Amino acid sequence: MYQVKIFSTIQEISSNAWNGLLSHPDASPFIRYEYLSAMENSGSACTNTGWTPCHFTVWDDASNQLVAAMPLYLKTHSYGEYVFDWAWANAYKEHGLNYYPKLLSAIPFTPVPGSRILGEDIQAKALLIQAIKVFAQEEKISGIHVLFPQEEDEPLFLEHGFLRRESIQFHWQNQSIEHPGELLIDFEEFLYTLNKKRRNNILRERQSVIDAGVSYIHIPGENMTEQDWDFFYECYATNYFNHGNSPYLSREFFAQIGAQMPRYLHLIFAIQDGQRVASSMIFRNRDPHQERAYGRYWGATRFIKNLHFETAYYQNIEFCIGQRIQVFEGGAQGEHKIHRGLIPVNLYSMHFLLDERFYDAVNQFLKREGMSMYRYIDELSEHHPIKQTVN
């Protein structure tokens, strides 16, 4: 006998119970209890910021064991999602309807694909989705949105009437051309995999940073000090302020993940004239079979030409090659990434709108948008940085 329970904070669930559901090899560190709890405990994802936790779970009554779960938030806006639905919200408003609050299953402020509906029990996962739909209906919530789930979960969502929306990111693949099926030996071999134009461009960009007298140090998460975190946060916040925005995440958030999940973190610092001038952060999933790294946050305290590319991409790629990490995910958007050796990857999100009129309208829109996205990916293939196809 299964029972559905809703929790207003992940702290009401034990870390062992939650993390015990993360059996899938593509489960990222962002779905871990430590990361999500730090979001809530630090005040980064809470009611005051428009992210009210509303986590759905399924429990086995006989054993009192957690068998399925989905991180969910009641959202009062669409910031920090990276799948844009502002036009949908405006359409609701024009028709005198409320689009917010909506139910969102995503990693707050983190556009990374991975597990969204946790657990291996198909019956429990189906029950979970059905319970969420009933809850949305009873609470008069406009819709349910699941961002960047695993591809294998698509049939389950489609079975429950969700609509698929296409998306794109740019990921780097650690694959040798000269030795198919093997990983790259060093950065020089990576450059060899690129066409001449891209290779020369990277060499020029890296050389300009060297000519500016910039060097780098790498610090594993376990070795970070408070002073290291302070400077990293200064860079992170400065990057947001330079774009006219306030940072989504608090200094306390980084203090908590630094203390609770350091083995999943790696920090890179740029140094000029004996002073740190920039930093970037890598997450790693620690999967022994196919490890992935995730480039997340970067920032600088002064402008140096091409510093961004070196700190946020080339240092990360070089680190991945040295650590034999197979994939580096560069985050959301950014066609410029294809010029740095990252290739387009098709991702998706799932959406269920309770108003039938808008459900039908969005369904037609997504079909047209999907065709445009596929054409866009085809166009990007004409600018593919790899000099020959890598299988």
Side-chain angles (χ1 to χ4, degrees), residues 109-120:
F109 319 113
T110 311
V112 61
S115 302
R116 295 295 176 268
I117 182 165
L118 311 180
E120 298 295 325

Side-chain angles (χ1 to χ4, degrees), residues 212-214 231 234-235 238 242 270-278 298-305 307-308:
V214 177
F231 179 76
E234 180 184 354
C235 292
T238 298
N242 287 343
I271 300 173
Q272 184 186 55
D273 299 329
Q275 293 185 330
R276 296 185 181 187
V277 296
W298 112 281
T301 58
R302 67 178 69 164
F303 174 78
I304 300 171
K305 186 178 181 180
L307 183 66
H308 172 227

Side-chain angles (χ1 to χ4, degrees), residues 173-186 188-194 386-391:
Q173 311 284 338
N174 187 351
Q175 295 179 354
S176 172
I177 283 181
E178 207 165 51
H179 306 285
E182 297 184 14
L183 302 181
L184 295 164
I185 298 173
D186 52 28
E188 291 300 315
E189 187 182 5
F190 160 61
L191 291 176
Y192 172 78
T193 69
L194 305 178
I386 308 301
K387 65 183 180 183
Q388 69 184 66
T389 300
V390 178
N391 295 320

Side-chain angles (χ1 to χ4, degrees), residues 9-11 34-49 108-109 233 236 247-257 260:
T9 172
I10 199 170
Q11 293 178 80
E34 296 86 349
Y35 189 87
L36 296 176
S37 64
M39 279 283 177
E40 296 180 21
N41 294 338
S42 66
S44 300
C46 64
T47 299
N48 288 341
T49 61
F109 319 113
Y233 191 77
Y236 164 76
Y248 284 132
L249 304 174
S250 65
R251 172 66 176 84
E252 179 59 25
F253 166 77
F254 292 103
Q256 290 190 30
I257 63 170
Q260 297 171 13

